[in-house]
Amino acid sequence: MLFNIAVHHGPEYLLVVCAGRSTLADLLGAADLIARIAAVRGYRRALIDLTATEPELAFTEHLQLGAHVAASLASLDRVSTVVSPRYRTGVSEKAAQKEGLRLRTFTSLEEAQAWMRDAPGKTATSSVS
């Protein structure tokens, strides 16, 4: 089965849809592609739809993926991924968050889209004394 990447340019964020069996190399390459497109086109947010992928990753590869995604997409304000519930482990997500990337993983495309459209200050609270 082929690993495919489709890119959709939206007004609010970059949408990338991946499909097929995926190895660590495939997903690292996808992150690099997303970073390059975001930089060239000036995107501050990216939504990565992985619901049609079948990842073939060991635990340590999830950690490597999270670290690489965080480094590659560090210039973005917000990144969301959507995965099939059966592949939801949270390992890559936590690794990326630990490296400072504002990333959330969802199992619903609609929830991910809503989070992507949310105003930057809405999810964080701050007070000035």
Side-chain angles (χ1 to χ4, degrees), residues 41-87:
R41 296 290 299 260
Y43 284 106
R44 303 299 306 157
R45 297 178 182 205
L47 189 158
I48 307 159
D49 183 350
L50 300 165
T51 54
T53 63
E54 297 176 31
E56 299 171 348
L57 301 175
F59 178 80
T60 56
E61 291 177 322
H62 278 281
L63 295 173
Q64 291 173 16
L65 177 60
H68 184 83
V69 166
S72 295
L73 304 180
S75 65
L76 298 182
D77 296 333
R78 189 177 288 204
V79 178
S80 65
T81 58
V82 185
V83 299
S84 170
R86 74 183 203 175
Y87 294 117

